[in-house]
Amino acid sequence: MLRSRRTRFLWLAAALAASAGPASAQRLFRDSEPTRLPLAGFATDLLVDDLDRDQRLDIAVAHADVGRVSVLWSARGAGDDAPFSFATTTHAVGLGPLFVASGDLDGDGAPDLVAASSGSATVSVLLQRVGGNGSATLAAARELAVGPNPRAVAVADLDADGDLDLVTINFPAFEVGSLSILLGDGRGAFAGEMRHDIGDNPHALVVDDFDGDGILDVAVAHTFTVSCFRGEGAARFAPAVRTTIPVANPRAMVRGDFDRDAMPDLAVLADESGFQNGWLFFVRNTGSGSFEPRLVSDDAGSVPNPFTQNFGFLAVSDVDADGDDDLVTQLDIDRRIGVRIHTGAGDGTFVERHDWLLGERPADAEFADIDGDGVPDLIAAIGSSITVYRGIAPGTIDVRESVLLAAPPREIVAVPRRDASGVDLWTLSSRVVERLSRVEGRFAVTTRAEFAAALVDLACADLDGDGIPELALLDLLGRVIVVALDDESPPAIRGDFAVGAVPSAIAAADFDGDRVPELVVADRADTALRIVFAPLDGERRETRSVDLGSGQTAVAAGDIDGDGDVDLVASTRDGVRVLAGDGRGDFEVIAALDAFANARALRIADTDADGTAELIVIATSGVSLSMVRDLVADDPWIETFEERLAYSSVEVRDVDGDGRPDLVATTGASRGSIAVRRGDNDGRFAALELYQVGDDPRSVALADFDGDGVLDAATADFASRTVSILPGVATPRADNGRFRRGDVDADGRVLLSDAVRVLEALFLAAASPACLDAGDADDDGRLALTDAIVVLAYLFQGGTAPPAPGPQTCGSDPTTDELAACGSRCEP
């Protein structure tokens, strides 16, 4: 008979202690929330510049929906501890501003703002006024007439008189596109418009000296074409030199020196119909005003419906700080939403494509060093806010890393490399296995192998005892395929043999004590659980069967009873069965848990450090995660976590490095997350922590991917067809002196008097204990009733001892908390 509670006293102690939550608020994985800055309307375009010349970058944003421009001024004196602090001002401009630019139009040394207002056929000029105290304000906008539907504006000295001028591209509905030129007088005023026809459907504008003659030229992207209008001086231009782009609709264009020849090149983002993924071109400058287009990518990101007034974006920046220009595009493909980085090699090629998944689609984005730490940050215009993601290293922002796979992955394992240089990730999809290796600090797919039959599960173990692990793949035809994890591509097949009818799960462990793992296979159609000995030796291979019942869905191996021999648990349609191993490869069913029929996943771990293991179970529905204690007892105790998060897999590891096993499960929460519960020495777990990953994660792998001594996490994200990598965060350990947990009066023993001392401090106004950590018997970071309960349970009810350093050992607190340091109150 199963029981759901013990004595009222112990149940109360456990419940009160578990409710306290984690002792430290520090997160285990790096996925910190970005800084979100609300805006007056939806963001159409953004500009990053030091507008008030205070050595901090500011942000200007156009809002087409409300006819406004917002300026986010970096706060003065914010300091390095608050680098993303801004004061926002909002300014009325013309109708439908689509583009914003900056430049010193009145010669006072402070950049002014200009917006291309498509709905009113104007450019809106906002001159900046800097006060004596350094404060900056923008004067009311002045509207200057230009051609119909201006889509972009540039600020440049077109007539070489030393004063900045304005030029727009105009995109009328039923007329030829045009340039509007407004010559500036250097004091913020402009002459009347000069207009030049430029051809149909102009979308983007870049001004630079493309032919090297010292006179500015104008490049325009429009239908199938990039046109270069070479400057002749006095804001006059020669007929266009046209370069054909083999895609109908160029949507965005930027300049950059992508081949390091000191001549400005172009990059163009285009699409076929306005609904397809973007085509990205490097448009090389030949030096004579003509260009050569080269395809960079035919799925550069996403070009949304043009009727939404959002045509995707293209930005140029040295994201990885290597001296070469990189390109940034919008990403919205197969439910993967964020930004895509195209890494420039400096020779006109782009050697790597890297995606940062943000969970939201930016209308525009730029990389710039907002916080002044020398690392580019990502500034994204998302909806009606600016979102700033902190750069933590060149080319890396403070969100999860994501790698696109060839097929939706269901399983993932971490495998140390043969040369001990790091860890590879191997994923299993239907018929496809892929290896991800770290290349220049990032994961990328380096090996891909396809198989004839659908693959259902995998196990990783050194099956031949040579110190190098192999991958055992289980396919739907009832075969095990053993793959060598070497540098060959595709990987070599080491073995291939039949094991059953409709196999469902595979695991590896040393069942017979020869230090070489065997394989165990669960089968949905067979009543027998099959154990394969010497799987790589065809002559010695042996298969033993243990009759369990049909409908086997999951299997796990571990030492359940603490006798040193490997045991098994397996799920069938009638429930979970516990099998004791004899150390020679034979097993006997010793317990049945009928409450968990057709379980989705099983794991074995000693969560409370008592020498016997607990069972962690994901139910067949996936909506609950349960822990079963006292597996071999007549009345195992079941504890169920009731969050109902649609679990798919679970691992048990010490993630935070405190010596206590933690639970890490994949869930469908927030489209895809890993759920972490930190454990203590009593097998209890703190409050749930969620970390965003890709869509529908099916499996998680935990290992130190980057060699910093901290566990990282990787998930196989089925729906988004990605692997998500969350770097682990080192948990600081404060030196709180030396003490014995529970020994409140420092007499070297934990006695009833210690519990009384805690109660007196809480309820009788007695002085607090000199060492609060010694009184914090449940290690929850506070002095509370539960501390007295833990001591009393330990002394008189056979309860678990207080956590490390414990009542017998003199040591420091392994958990970071806010309790005052104790000093040296005992000797080791």
Side-chain angles (χ1 to χ4, degrees), residues 22 37 60 187 199 204 251 295 316-317 330 335 339 357 382 398 432 474 492 496 629 653 677 682 695 719 791 805 812:
L37 308 168
R187 298 183 296 277
R251 300 296 188 183
L295 181 65
V316 59
S317 177
Q330 185 186 72
R335 299 176 68 186
V339 295
L357 301 189
I382 299 175
D398 199 1
V432 176
L474 187 63
D496 183 346
R629 304 180 189 277
R653 294 284 300 275
R677 291 179 178 85
D682 195 26
D695 291 354
V791 172
S812 59

Side-chain angles (χ1 to χ4, degrees), residues 319 321 368-378 390-397:
V319 177
D369 183 11
I370 289 289
D371 55 5
D373 64 354
V375 178
D377 310 298
L378 176 63
R390 189 185 308 276
I392 55 176
T396 303
I397 59 176

Side-chain angles (χ1 to χ4, degrees), residues 740-751:
R740 290 183 174 87
R741 180 88 65 189
D743 181 14
V744 183
D745 55 13
D747 65 353
R749 298 172 296 173
V750 175
L751 301 171

Side-chain angles (χ1 to χ4, degrees), residues 36-401:
R36 296 185 185 276
L37 308 168
L39 298 171
F42 283 93
T44 310
D45 183 60
L46 69 84
L47 167 76
V48 180
D49 193 1
D50 182 6
L51 297 174
D52 52 7
R53 294 298 186 254
D54 66 348
Q55 308 304 310
R56 290 178 178 272
L57 292 176
D58 310 299
I59 304 170
V61 189
H63 308 295
D65 58 335
V66 294
R68 298 286 189 273
V69 167
S70 293
V71 181
L72 287 71
W73 308 91
S74 56
R76 318 302 185 271
D80 293 337
D81 58 339
F84 297 153
S85 179
F86 293 87
T88 303
T89 60
T90 303
H91 310 270
V93 293
L95 299 177
L98 296 179
F99 196 92
V100 63
S102 65
D104 182 7
L105 302 178
D106 54 6
D108 65 355
D112 309 298
L113 289 180
V114 181
S117 300
S118 63
S120 55
T122 61
V123 290
S124 305
V125 177
L126 299 95
L127 298 179
Q128 184 178 178
R129 299 289 183 258
V130 179
N133 60 356
S135 62
T137 59
L138 292 177
R142 286 187 294 150
E143 303 298 320
L144 306 176
V146 293
N149 194 19
R151 301 204 59 83
V153 60
V155 179
D157 184 6
L158 296 175
D159 55 2
D161 65 352
D163 302 321
L164 292 179
D165 311 308
L166 304 177
V167 57
T168 68
I169 54 167
N170 311 311
F171 188 2
F174 303 105
E175 303 175 27
V176 174
S178 62
L179 291 179
S180 290
I181 297 173
L182 304 174
L183 298 180
D185 66 357
R187 298 183 296 277
F190 294 86
E193 174 203 12
M194 298 187 296
R195 193 176 299 183
H196 299 269
D197 290 342
I198 56 174
D200 293 338
N201 303 324
H203 278 287
L205 167 73
V206 171
V207 178
D208 210 324
D209 180 10
F210 294 108
D211 55 9
D213 64 356
I215 302 173
L216 292 178
D217 313 306
V218 175
V220 177
H222 47 130
T223 302
F224 285 114
T225 307
V226 169
S227 296
C228 180
F229 297 87
R230 300 176 64 181
E232 295 180 332
R236 296 191 302 270
F237 298 93
V241 177
R242 302 189 184 274
T243 301
T244 299
I245 301 294
V247 178
N249 299 310
R251 300 296 188 183
M253 182 168 64
V254 294
R255 76 160 77 69
D257 184 7
F258 301 110
D259 53 6
R260 286 192 174 186
D261 63 356
M263 294 187 296
D265 306 305
L266 298 171
V268 174
L269 180 66
D271 75 283
E272 287 287 0
S273 63
F275 299 90
Q276 298 180 356
N277 294 339
W279 294 57
L280 181 61
F281 292 90
F282 161 53
V283 184
R284 176 179 171 270
N285 184 1
T286 66
S288 60
S290 63
F291 296 86
E292 297 176 351
R294 302 176 183 176
L295 181 65
V296 173
S297 172
D298 59 4
D299 64 342
S302 174
V303 180
N305 187 334
F307 298 106
T308 66
Q309 295 286 357
N310 182 354
F311 301 102
F313 66 84
L314 177 63
V316 59
S317 177
D318 184 7
V319 177
D320 52 8
D322 64 351
D324 298 319
D325 285 335
D326 310 310
L327 293 170
V328 185
T329 58
Q330 185 186 72
L331 175 67
D332 187 0
I333 302 175
D334 296 335
R335 299 176 68 186
R336 290 173 292 115
I337 300 173
V339 295
R340 171 166 286 178
I341 314 300
H342 308 264
T343 304
D347 59 359
T349 64
F350 294 80
V351 296
E352 184 178 319
R353 190 174 68 189
H354 190 67
D355 296 342
W356 291 114
L357 301 189
L358 309 180
E360 300 171 284
R361 180 171 58 197
D364 197 3
E366 291 190 23
F367 276 87
D369 183 11
I370 289 289
D371 55 5
D373 64 354
V375 178
D377 310 298
L378 176 63
I379 304 97
I382 299 175
S384 57
S385 69
I386 291 295
T387 304
V388 183
Y389 299 86
R390 189 185 308 276
I392 55 176
T396 303
I397 59 176
D398 199 1
V399 295
R400 67 186 185 276
E401 183 179 354

Side-chain angles (χ1 to χ4, degrees), residues 511-512 531 533 542 544 546 566 580-588:
F511 300 127
D512 57 5
I531 302 166
F533 296 81
E542 173 191 355
R544 300 181 191 175
V546 181
V566 177
D582 63 0
R584 298 184 297 276
D586 291 320
F587 293 86
E588 177 185 2

